[in-house]
Amino acid sequence: MTAVRQRKGIKATEVPEESVFHEKNWKLNGKTLADKYLLEEYSAGGKLWKKLSLIVGGIVGISLGIFTSVYVATLHENDLWFSNIKEVEREISFRTECGLYYSYYKQMLQAPSIQLGLHRLIFDNKTESMRTINILERMNVYQEVFLSILYRVFHMNNFFEPVYFYIYTLFSLQAVYVAALYVTSWLLSGTWLSGVLAAFWYITNRTDTTRVEFTIPLRENWALPFFAVQIAAITFLFRSHLRPTHERLTLLAVFISTFLFSLAWQFNQFMLLIQALVLFTLDCLDLLPRGKVTWIYIIQVASLLLVCLLQFFNSMIVGSLLISFNLSTLLARKLQNNLKTGGFFSRLGKLFIHVLLVLCLTFLVNNFIKKVLNLESDEHIFKFLKAKFGFGATRDFDANLYLCEEAFGLLPFNTFTRLSGTLVFYAYVFVLLVMTITSAVVAFQNLSGSVNNKPADKLQKCITLLKPGVAYNLVHTILFGLLALSTMRMKYLWTSHICVFAASGLCSSDMWGLILRFVHLYTPQRVSVIRYLTPVLILLYLCYKFWPGVMAELSELREFYDPDTVELMNWIKSNTPKKSVIAGSMQLLAGVKLCTGRILTNHPHYEDKSLRERTKQVYQVYAKRSPEEVHRILRSFGTDFVILEDSICYERRHSRGCRLRDLLDIANGHTMDGPGENDPDLKHSPHPRFCEEIKRDLPSYTMYFAKVFHNKTFHVYKLTRHKKTT
């Protein structure tokens, strides 16, 4: 049955053929001819207004992106007085893995030529002692390589110091990030005012939406802007009635942004897997066009395979769950091509079988690939997830190392308190509730086939509201919200989308129209007033409440101060041979490589099984082991110097059971220090804790280790080459 809907302002009644001639004559000679000219003028004026709005909206979006970039750059400068501190202090400010990634940019610039710099990265023997590794294969550092080449080719040294070229590039990507969020919100709501609100919320919730100003080289700060661009492109792709040229260009934008996102971050496969689950869920519920979903599946796989090629066939990418899942989904479609036929319960049964088939195929394909490739690089992630979600306690050192870090814990409740202070969380919950109910109604009608049989007015309004782009962003925010709730470090993927989704809902004429119809208060004028007045009032509130704080923050001046670490780095550069091998904590050694160029035993890039085992062995300096054992372990990695940190040896930041020394004791089968219970099978160690006992300068220790440097924080010992005889 086909329903004919009346056009606004035009009657759909049939007109007798003989009266048409008289009506035409009247129109030509009467007022209707004038109305025709008025309509044409109105149409031309509407197009002009649309173009003007597009230009103004584009300018506003670019301006907000630039403002955000300048804002975070100023905060970084004010917090560290970056322009005034020494080079070694600038480098130390790149903490933990940030320093490791930046060191490869510095290494490329210091190489005599680009070719030699690339050769040294491919055959690197300084990052892990007694091993030659391919940095381009193991780590996502193509961005550092690309920037270093740009810096050299275009002689940027005439304009910027290397470090400023690097950090300004990252801060500029924040402009791209905010602009992409702005565009996504605009596409979802139909007005650029929602983009303004999304950008304002992103800025006022900076504590929870980004950490770029103090972790600049972190991989996510490179990747998330491209992920935001990809989401904007996908949202545009799901618009109906796209011209073929526009659709092809949009697919190209999705591919490029997906590829750059994947190239920049080692966690790409897990984020894209969640995105694939979003697409799979909506496709099963018949809420997205299947052809476009298929293209996105293919783009995801193609992007990862291209990254795999650039990373010298990194086996961890080939063995990713995403590739197995996407291939299984496409295969299951071929095996089950009648999912969208039958009644409600029939379709539910088919969907259940389909989901089961996809999951089984995914795990079979993934296990087959991992066995063929003998892949174990990502096993620590699955051990961590198994322990985190309560599938059995573990004594695995690597899994517990993640479990005890706050960043990998549950999202703290005070996050919602901060988000509520800017009203974004309240708006988000409101929009999420309305859209979830709407999507549930539409999904039920799709599964029951009621859309084709009973085109009721209310149902039609729900279907109109739940456009494919809106449906995608709804499930996207739900799944990434669950990820953020379970793992705090991943909150930055969710909180920025909270700003987009909340702003787009508040500015949506479809959503307000549905709500007003529900309470029998609908008029087009009321919808227009509410959709524009609501964001304006919120923007005024944000400016009133947060503008003074932003100004105060920009005027607050601090200075980088870490004299103990500076003293340590200067001592290493001046008093150790350039080919010395240094052992210590992962976080500190990243800075040692950046500041001194010395060879490391281990480092923070933890996605390699042999490196994880090596790190656990090096960390025995904080366990209850004999000096002979520690010396033998360290010498097996070619260690010349070992750095001990009081902040680890006497750690108080974590509670008992989560201190690094406790994790080592448990892994070694020893009881933990301090008051508290121990598992009954743990035994007392026959040796005292090495990092404490070595400071007593007993002969049993001095025969293996000689103290060569110390300050309030660090103690450096030189290892003897051979055991001394008494």
PDB file of all heavy atoms in Angstrom, residues 145-166:
ATOM      1  N   VAL A 145      58.493  10.789  12.080  1.00  0.00           N
ATOM      2  CA  VAL A 145      59.304  10.704  10.862  1.00  0.00           C
ATOM      3  C   VAL A 145      58.862  11.760   9.857  1.00  0.00           C
ATOM      4  O   VAL A 145      59.678  12.485   9.273  1.00  0.00           O
ATOM      5  CB  VAL A 145      59.200   9.295  10.244  1.00  0.00           C
ATOM      6  CG1 VAL A 145      59.878   9.247   8.881  1.00  0.00           C
ATOM      7  CG2 VAL A 145      59.807   8.258  11.173  1.00  0.00           C
ATOM      8  N   PHE A 146      57.561  11.867   9.657  1.00  0.00           N
ATOM      9  CA  PHE A 146      57.008  12.829   8.697  1.00  0.00           C
ATOM     10  C   PHE A 146      57.359  14.265   9.093  1.00  0.00           C
ATOM     11  O   PHE A 146      57.787  15.068   8.246  1.00  0.00           O
ATOM     12  CB  PHE A 146      55.493  12.647   8.621  1.00  0.00           C
ATOM     13  CG  PHE A 146      54.814  13.613   7.698  1.00  0.00           C
ATOM     14  CD1 PHE A 146      54.997  13.537   6.331  1.00  0.00           C
ATOM     15  CD2 PHE A 146      53.980  14.606   8.200  1.00  0.00           C
ATOM     16  CE1 PHE A 146      54.365  14.431   5.474  1.00  0.00           C
ATOM     17  CE2 PHE A 146      53.353  15.508   7.358  1.00  0.00           C
ATOM     18  CZ  PHE A 146      53.545  15.415   5.990  1.00  0.00           C
ATOM     19  N   LEU A 147      57.207  14.593  10.376  1.00  0.00           N
ATOM     20  CA  LEU A 147      57.516  15.950  10.835  1.00  0.00           C
ATOM     21  C   LEU A 147      58.996  16.266  10.671  1.00  0.00           C
ATOM     22  O   LEU A 147      59.365  17.383  10.284  1.00  0.00           O
ATOM     23  CB  LEU A 147      57.125  16.111  12.307  1.00  0.00           C
ATOM     24  CG  LEU A 147      55.684  16.515  12.628  1.00  0.00           C
ATOM     25  CD1 LEU A 147      55.578  16.909  14.084  1.00  0.00           C
ATOM     26  CD2 LEU A 147      55.207  17.636  11.744  1.00  0.00           C
ATOM     27  N   SER A 148      59.845  15.304  10.991  1.00  0.00           N
ATOM     28  CA  SER A 148      61.289  15.542  10.862  1.00  0.00           C
ATOM     29  C   SER A 148      61.685  15.773   9.407  1.00  0.00           C
ATOM     30  O   SER A 148      62.542  16.611   9.114  1.00  0.00           O
ATOM     31  CB  SER A 148      62.074  14.372  11.447  1.00  0.00           C
ATOM     32  OG  SER A 148      61.843  13.182  10.708  1.00  0.00           O
ATOM     33  N   ILE A 149      61.049  15.041   8.494  1.00  0.00           N
ATOM     34  CA  ILE A 149      61.339  15.240   7.069  1.00  0.00           C
ATOM     35  C   ILE A 149      60.863  16.620   6.618  1.00  0.00           C
ATOM     36  O   ILE A 149      61.576  17.336   5.889  1.00  0.00           O
ATOM     37  CB  ILE A 149      60.682  14.121   6.231  1.00  0.00           C
ATOM     38  CG1 ILE A 149      61.354  12.777   6.537  1.00  0.00           C
ATOM     39  CG2 ILE A 149      60.770  14.429   4.742  1.00  0.00           C
ATOM     40  CD1 ILE A 149      60.674  11.589   5.893  1.00  0.00           C
ATOM     41  N   LEU A 150      59.666  17.008   7.043  1.00  0.00           N
ATOM     42  CA  LEU A 150      59.167  18.349   6.721  1.00  0.00           C
ATOM     43  C   LEU A 150      60.117  19.423   7.240  1.00  0.00           C
ATOM     44  O   LEU A 150      60.409  20.404   6.541  1.00  0.00           O
ATOM     45  CB  LEU A 150      57.778  18.561   7.339  1.00  0.00           C
ATOM     46  CG  LEU A 150      56.567  17.968   6.628  1.00  0.00           C
ATOM     47  CD1 LEU A 150      55.301  18.345   7.374  1.00  0.00           C
ATOM     48  CD2 LEU A 150      56.487  18.449   5.184  1.00  0.00           C
ATOM     49  N   TYR A 151      60.567  19.237   8.462  1.00  0.00           N
ATOM     50  CA  TYR A 151      61.444  20.232   9.093  1.00  0.00           C
ATOM     51  C   TYR A 151      62.739  20.397   8.299  1.00  0.00           C
ATOM     52  O   TYR A 151      63.228  21.523   8.125  1.00  0.00           O
ATOM     53  CB  TYR A 151      61.743  19.798  10.531  1.00  0.00           C
ATOM     54  CG  TYR A 151      62.424  20.861  11.365  1.00  0.00           C
ATOM     55  CD1 TYR A 151      61.671  21.824  12.036  1.00  0.00           C
ATOM     56  CD2 TYR A 151      63.809  20.906  11.477  1.00  0.00           C
ATOM     57  CE1 TYR A 151      62.293  22.810  12.798  1.00  0.00           C
ATOM     58  CE2 TYR A 151      64.445  21.881  12.235  1.00  0.00           C
ATOM     59  CZ  TYR A 151      63.681  22.826  12.898  1.00  0.00           C
ATOM     60  OH  TYR A 151      64.289  23.806  13.647  1.00  0.00           O
ATOM     61  N   ARG A 152      63.268  19.289   7.808  1.00  0.00           N
ATOM     62  CA  ARG A 152      64.538  19.345   7.085  1.00  0.00           C
ATOM     63  C   ARG A 152      64.344  19.851   5.654  1.00  0.00           C
ATOM     64  O   ARG A 152      65.105  20.696   5.173  1.00  0.00           O
ATOM     65  CB  ARG A 152      65.193  17.962   7.064  1.00  0.00           C
ATOM     66  CG  ARG A 152      65.546  17.423   8.434  1.00  0.00           C
ATOM     67  CD  ARG A 152      66.126  16.031   8.370  1.00  0.00           C
ATOM     68  NE  ARG A 152      67.461  16.045   7.801  1.00  0.00           N
ATOM     69  CZ  ARG A 152      68.497  15.389   8.313  1.00  0.00           C
ATOM     70  NH1 ARG A 152      68.343  14.680   9.425  1.00  0.00           N
ATOM     71  NH2 ARG A 152      69.674  15.437   7.746  1.00  0.00           N
ATOM     72  N   VAL A 153      63.340  19.338   4.978  1.00  0.00           N
ATOM     73  CA  VAL A 153      63.154  19.676   3.565  1.00  0.00           C
ATOM     74  C   VAL A 153      62.812  21.149   3.375  1.00  0.00           C
ATOM     75  O   VAL A 153      63.310  21.805   2.453  1.00  0.00           O
ATOM     76  CB  VAL A 153      62.065  18.769   2.953  1.00  0.00           C
ATOM     77  CG1 VAL A 153      61.682  19.259   1.554  1.00  0.00           C
ATOM     78  CG2 VAL A 153      62.541  17.327   2.885  1.00  0.00           C
ATOM     79  N   PHE A 154      61.946  21.666   4.237  1.00  0.00           N
ATOM     80  CA  PHE A 154      61.501  23.055   4.089  1.00  0.00           C
ATOM     81  C   PHE A 154      62.307  24.029   4.949  1.00  0.00           C
ATOM     82  O   PHE A 154      61.902  25.183   5.116  1.00  0.00           O
ATOM     83  CB  PHE A 154      60.015  23.158   4.429  1.00  0.00           C
ATOM     84  CG  PHE A 154      59.129  22.459   3.438  1.00  0.00           C
ATOM     85  CD1 PHE A 154      58.612  21.199   3.712  1.00  0.00           C
ATOM     86  CD2 PHE A 154      58.839  23.045   2.219  1.00  0.00           C
ATOM     87  CE1 PHE A 154      57.805  20.544   2.803  1.00  0.00           C
ATOM     88  CE2 PHE A 154      58.031  22.398   1.297  1.00  0.00           C
ATOM     89  CZ  PHE A 154      57.514  21.146   1.584  1.00  0.00           C
ATOM     90  N   HIS A 155      63.422  23.562   5.489  1.00  0.00           N
ATOM     91  CA  HIS A 155      64.339  24.418   6.259  1.00  0.00           C
ATOM     92  C   HIS A 155      63.591  25.221   7.335  1.00  0.00           C
ATOM     93  O   HIS A 155      63.734  26.440   7.448  1.00  0.00           O
ATOM     94  CB  HIS A 155      65.082  25.374   5.323  1.00  0.00           C
ATOM     95  CG  HIS A 155      65.828  24.673   4.227  1.00  0.00           C
ATOM     96  ND1 HIS A 155      66.979  23.935   4.463  1.00  0.00           N
ATOM     97  CD2 HIS A 155      65.577  24.567   2.889  1.00  0.00           C
ATOM     98  CE1 HIS A 155      67.414  23.417   3.320  1.00  0.00           C
ATOM     99  NE2 HIS A 155      66.584  23.779   2.353  1.00  0.00           N
ATOM    100  N   MET A 156      62.784  24.483   8.103  1.00  0.00           N
ATOM    101  CA  MET A 156      61.985  25.137   9.140  1.00  0.00           C
ATOM    102  C   MET A 156      62.843  25.680  10.277  1.00  0.00           C
ATOM    103  O   MET A 156      62.354  26.435  11.117  1.00  0.00           O
ATOM    104  CB  MET A 156      60.960  24.144   9.696  1.00  0.00           C
ATOM    105  CG  MET A 156      59.974  23.612   8.675  1.00  0.00           C
ATOM    106  SD  MET A 156      59.042  24.894   7.814  1.00  0.00           S
ATOM    107  CE  MET A 156      58.082  25.564   9.150  1.00  0.00           C
ATOM    108  N   ASN A 157      64.124  25.318  10.289  1.00  0.00           N
ATOM    109  CA  ASN A 157      65.006  25.842  11.334  1.00  0.00           C
ATOM    110  C   ASN A 157      65.175  27.354  11.229  1.00  0.00           C
ATOM    111  O   ASN A 157      65.609  28.009  12.181  1.00  0.00           O
ATOM    112  CB  ASN A 157      66.378  25.159  11.266  1.00  0.00           C
ATOM    113  CG  ASN A 157      67.029  25.319   9.901  1.00  0.00           C
ATOM    114  OD1 ASN A 157      66.397  25.063   8.874  1.00  0.00           O
ATOM    115  ND2 ASN A 157      68.284  25.730   9.887  1.00  0.00           N
ATOM    116  N   ASN A 158      64.808  27.910  10.069  1.00  0.00           N
ATOM    117  CA  ASN A 158      64.848  29.366   9.914  1.00  0.00           C
ATOM    118  C   ASN A 158      63.688  30.049  10.634  1.00  0.00           C
ATOM    119  O   ASN A 158      63.711  31.266  10.818  1.00  0.00           O
ATOM    120  CB  ASN A 158      64.809  29.740   8.429  1.00  0.00           C
ATOM    121  CG  ASN A 158      66.021  29.245   7.674  1.00  0.00           C
ATOM    122  OD1 ASN A 158      67.118  29.188   8.237  1.00  0.00           O
ATOM    123  ND2 ASN A 158      65.851  28.863   6.417  1.00  0.00           N
ATOM    124  N   PHE A 159      62.673  29.252  11.005  1.00  0.00           N
ATOM    125  CA  PHE A 159      61.474  29.832  11.611  1.00  0.00           C
ATOM    126  C   PHE A 159      61.204  29.309  13.019  1.00  0.00           C
ATOM    127  O   PHE A 159      60.727  30.044  13.873  1.00  0.00           O
ATOM    128  CB  PHE A 159      60.251  29.539  10.728  1.00  0.00           C
ATOM    129  CG  PHE A 159      60.438  29.921   9.291  1.00  0.00           C
ATOM    130  CD1 PHE A 159      60.773  28.967   8.333  1.00  0.00           C
ATOM    131  CD2 PHE A 159      60.303  31.233   8.884  1.00  0.00           C
ATOM    132  CE1 PHE A 159      60.952  29.311   7.007  1.00  0.00           C
ATOM    133  CE2 PHE A 159      60.471  31.595   7.555  1.00  0.00           C
ATOM    134  CZ  PHE A 159      60.803  30.633   6.612  1.00  0.00           C
ATOM    135  N   PHE A 160      61.477  28.018  13.247  1.00  0.00           N
ATOM    136  CA  PHE A 160      61.144  27.398  14.526  1.00  0.00           C
ATOM    137  C   PHE A 160      62.325  26.569  15.034  1.00  0.00           C
ATOM    138  O   PHE A 160      63.071  25.989  14.241  1.00  0.00           O
ATOM    139  CB  PHE A 160      59.952  26.438  14.395  1.00  0.00           C
ATOM    140  CG  PHE A 160      58.671  27.073  13.938  1.00  0.00           C
ATOM    141  CD1 PHE A 160      58.241  26.925  12.636  1.00  0.00           C
ATOM    142  CD2 PHE A 160      57.887  27.803  14.817  1.00  0.00           C
ATOM    143  CE1 PHE A 160      57.053  27.493  12.208  1.00  0.00           C
ATOM    144  CE2 PHE A 160      56.706  28.365  14.398  1.00  0.00           C
ATOM    145  CZ  PHE A 160      56.286  28.221  13.096  1.00  0.00           C
ATOM    146  N   GLU A 161      62.423  26.491  16.344  1.00  0.00           N
ATOM    147  CA  GLU A 161      63.253  25.454  16.940  1.00  0.00           C
ATOM    148  C   GLU A 161      62.543  24.115  16.730  1.00  0.00           C
ATOM    149  O   GLU A 161      61.308  24.073  16.646  1.00  0.00           O
ATOM    150  CB  GLU A 161      63.446  25.715  18.435  1.00  0.00           C
ATOM    151  CG  GLU A 161      64.225  26.971  18.769  1.00  0.00           C
ATOM    152  CD  GLU A 161      64.320  27.173  20.274  1.00  0.00           C
ATOM    153  OE1 GLU A 161      64.729  26.218  20.965  1.00  0.00           O
ATOM    154  OE2 GLU A 161      63.966  28.269  20.748  1.00  0.00           O
ATOM    155  N   PRO A 162      63.284  23.006  16.667  1.00  0.00           N
ATOM    156  CA  PRO A 162      62.640  21.705  16.420  1.00  0.00           C
ATOM    157  C   PRO A 162      61.505  21.389  17.387  1.00  0.00           C
ATOM    158  O   PRO A 162      60.456  20.893  16.972  1.00  0.00           O
ATOM    159  CB  PRO A 162      63.799  20.712  16.572  1.00  0.00           C
ATOM    160  CG  PRO A 162      65.016  21.503  16.230  1.00  0.00           C
ATOM    161  CD  PRO A 162      64.749  22.896  16.720  1.00  0.00           C
ATOM    162  N   VAL A 163      61.705  21.692  18.652  1.00  0.00           N
ATOM    163  CA  VAL A 163      60.688  21.349  19.643  1.00  0.00           C
ATOM    164  C   VAL A 163      59.421  22.164  19.435  1.00  0.00           C
ATOM    165  O   VAL A 163      58.304  21.667  19.621  1.00  0.00           O
ATOM    166  CB  VAL A 163      61.241  21.521  21.081  1.00  0.00           C
ATOM    167  CG1 VAL A 163      61.514  22.988  21.398  1.00  0.00           C
ATOM    168  CG2 VAL A 163      60.278  20.926  22.097  1.00  0.00           C
ATOM    169  N   TYR A 164      59.562  23.411  19.019  1.00  0.00           N
ATOM    170  CA  TYR A 164      58.385  24.240  18.798  1.00  0.00           C
ATOM    171  C   TYR A 164      57.628  23.809  17.546  1.00  0.00           C
ATOM    172  O   TYR A 164      56.394  23.839  17.516  1.00  0.00           O
ATOM    173  CB  TYR A 164      58.777  25.713  18.696  1.00  0.00           C
ATOM    174  CG  TYR A 164      58.880  26.382  20.047  1.00  0.00           C
ATOM    175  CD1 TYR A 164      60.120  26.696  20.598  1.00  0.00           C
ATOM    176  CD2 TYR A 164      57.738  26.674  20.788  1.00  0.00           C
ATOM    177  CE1 TYR A 164      60.216  27.290  21.841  1.00  0.00           C
ATOM    178  CE2 TYR A 164      57.828  27.275  22.031  1.00  0.00           C
ATOM    179  CZ  TYR A 164      59.067  27.585  22.556  1.00  0.00           C
ATOM    180  OH  TYR A 164      59.154  28.165  23.799  1.00  0.00           O
ATOM    181  N   PHE A 165      58.346  23.424  16.523  1.00  0.00           N
ATOM    182  CA  PHE A 165      57.678  22.900  15.324  1.00  0.00           C
ATOM    183  C   PHE A 165      56.845  21.669  15.677  1.00  0.00           C
ATOM    184  O   PHE A 165      55.725  21.498  15.177  1.00  0.00           O
ATOM    185  CB  PHE A 165      58.723  22.549  14.264  1.00  0.00           C
ATOM    186  CG  PHE A 165      58.139  22.060  12.971  1.00  0.00           C
ATOM    187  CD1 PHE A 165      57.382  22.902  12.178  1.00  0.00           C
ATOM    188  CD2 PHE A 165      58.361  20.758  12.546  1.00  0.00           C
ATOM    189  CE1 PHE A 165      56.843  22.453  10.980  1.00  0.00           C
ATOM    190  CE2 PHE A 165      57.831  20.298  11.352  1.00  0.00           C
ATOM    191  CZ  PHE A 165      57.070  21.146  10.563  1.00  0.00           C
ATOM    192  N   TYR A 166      57.387  20.864  16.562  1.00  0.00           N
ATOM    193  CA  TYR A 166      56.695  19.639  16.985  1.00  0.00           C
ATOM    194  C   TYR A 166      55.442  19.951  17.795  1.00  0.00           C
ATOM    195  O   TYR A 166      54.342  19.486  17.467  1.00  0.00           O
ATOM    196  CB  TYR A 166      57.659  18.777  17.796  1.00  0.00           C
ATOM    197  CG  TYR A 166      57.119  17.419  18.172  1.00  0.00           C
ATOM    198  CD1 TYR A 166      57.321  16.323  17.342  1.00  0.00           C
ATOM    199  CD2 TYR A 166      56.413  17.216  19.356  1.00  0.00           C
ATOM    200  CE1 TYR A 166      56.839  15.062  17.681  1.00  0.00           C
ATOM    201  CE2 TYR A 166      55.930  15.976  19.703  1.00  0.00           C
ATOM    202  CZ  TYR A 166      56.147  14.896  18.862  1.00  0.00           C
ATOM    203  OH  TYR A 166      55.654  13.669  19.196  1.00  0.00           O
TER     204      TYR A 166
END
